[in-house]
Amino acid sequence: MIDNPHLNSSADFRDPREDGRVCELCGGREFSLLHGWNPDDPWNMATIPIAVWQCKCGFTFLHPMPTSNQLPDSGDWWSPHRRQVSRRPGFKNRWRKIRHAIIGSSKQRLIWATRRAVPSGRLLDVGCGNGETLQIASEFYDCFGLEPSPQAAASARARGFPIIESTLEDAEMVAGSFDVVLLDSVIEHVNSPHAFLKRINRVLKIGGVVAVLTPKLNGPAHFFHGAAWNGFRHGYHTFLFTGKTLGQCLRDTGFEILRRPRRDRWLDDILILWGRKFQDA
């Protein structure tokens, strides 16, 4: 499926196989071009052509991945210079306030649901942003944050939480030191989901739980908007998941799935999955 009006031809986009890429999930190389964006496309945040490819097994990824200097402010997600495209922001903000008053925010619901599996203990929020989720979780957990953005880390630290200003790959943390790890809108940004989840496995205790929230590929908004779907966060989101592919990633890295994949809200494009560590990855 290629429905981007700015897409000239597949020749504009470098085939992953030319760079020796194999599917991280199944090891195959049967890729098809899902969507592509040239640099002049208003949705493309990078200075190079980018495309989303899909393996025969369903695993979906960005190729090529822009380097930091090909994105605003070295790719800092919290940069005020990151160009954001939003539809009907006024209406969405009003509806969000009403929704939050009735059923709570997405972050509140994530914490409430996670407590059913692990009601208390030490919690690490990876990619904690400005610390909003840590503030909510601190009522129940002993909270710590990990955040690579200096701007976001400073905001979270100002709330009074201990923040490690680093990527997960570079952070030095004691193995088996957390009961809960949150990955709220994080796993879609990494260079390797399997390597990333293995690091998460390492810092969790046996029986500890990882909660993963990420855009849901093939949801209603994706089908409706196609290449202009906000879930692509064009140039920043490196992998996109269905319940099946995310579940397989978790099982491959030492987790058992606690429940069937859930949406954040009925018929939305946000996928949530919980995994319990049963063995070291």
Side-chain angles (χ1 to χ4, degrees):
M1 176 175 61
I2 303 174
D3 60 359
N4 183 355
H6 296 273
L7 179 61
N8 296 326
S9 71
S10 59
D12 294 315
F13 306 102
R14 186 172 181 84
D15 191 312
R17 287 165 290 202
E18 295 179 17
D19 296 323
R21 190 154 182 175
V22 299
C23 176
E24 186 169 318
L25 192 63
C26 73
R29 302 186 69 202
E30 294 186 56
F31 306 137
S32 59
L33 180 62
L34 189 61
H35 300 296
W37 305 268
N38 285 310
D40 60 346
D41 191 298
W43 287 95
N44 186 358
M45 309 298 171
T47 59
I48 61 170
I50 56 173
V52 169
W53 299 79
Q54 192 166 70
C55 179
K56 185 179 180 180
C57 73
F59 205 47
T60 304
F61 58 93
L62 181 71
H63 188 87
M65 294 183 185
T67 61
S68 61
N69 62 1
Q70 292 167 336
L71 291 165
D73 280 359
S74 298
D76 188 338
W77 181 251
W78 291 88
S79 165
H81 302 293
R82 178 173 65 86
R83 178 161 42 93
Q84 301 184 59
V85 183
S86 181
R87 301 181 185 89
R88 299 179 298 167
F91 168 79
K92 287 184 176 179
N93 287 336
R94 289 191 295 273
W95 171 235
R96 184 180 298 111
K97 290 179 181 179
I98 295 171
R99 190 173 66 242
H100 289 183
I102 298 172
I103 61 174
S105 69
S106 174
K107 296 180 185 300
Q108 287 174 317
R109 295 195 301 273
L110 179 64
I111 295 300
W112 297 339
T114 300
R115 289 195 66 231
R116 296 174 189 168
V118 183
S120 62
R122 286 167 54 92
L123 177 145
L124 175 67
D125 187 3
V126 176
C128 66
N130 61 13
E132 182 182 352
T133 304
L134 291 174
Q135 197 79 59
I136 296 166
S138 63
E139 182 179 350
F140 314 106
Y141 299 99
D142 186 13
C143 291
F144 301 81
L146 179 72
E147 175 55 55
S149 166
Q151 298 180 68
S155 296
R157 202 173 283 119
R159 294 177 185 254
F161 296 106
I163 305 297
I164 304 170
E165 192 172 314
S166 172
T167 63
L168 181 68
E169 293 81 359
D170 294 334
E172 294 184 7
M173 290 183 287
V174 177
S177 53
F178 292 99
D179 301 282
V180 177
V181 173
L182 296 182
L183 300 179
D184 182 352
S185 304
V186 170
I187 198 167
E188 66 271 17
H189 293 274
V190 306
N191 291 327
S192 166
H194 279 75
F196 194 81
L197 287 171
K198 286 178 181 178
R199 291 281 291 177
I200 296 298
N201 179 293
R202 179 180 178 275
V203 302
L204 275 170
K205 300 174 183 177
I206 292 288
V209 166
V210 60
V212 187
L213 183 150
T214 188
K216 185 183 187 304
L217 190 70
N218 299 337
H222 177 207
F223 278 115
F224 184 77
H225 295 293
W229 177 45
N230 272 322
F232 286 121
R233 289 293 190 267
H234 308 65
Y236 291 93
H237 285 184
T238 52
F239 289 88
L240 290 151
F241 301 87
T242 62
K244 178 181 177 181
T245 58
L246 180 58
Q248 189 60 53
C249 285
L250 285 166
R251 285 187 287 268
D252 288 347
T253 52
F255 296 95
E256 60 179 352
I257 307 304
L258 291 186
R259 61 176 74 177
R260 294 178 61 187
R262 293 179 55 185
R263 298 176 188 269
D264 182 43
R265 301 187 310 277
W266 185 64
L267 288 181
D268 72 1
D269 278 13
I270 300 297
L271 170 68
I272 309 176
L273 202 56
W274 288 265
R276 189 184 300 277
K277 175 179 174 177
F278 70 93
Q279 66 179 20
D280 291 328

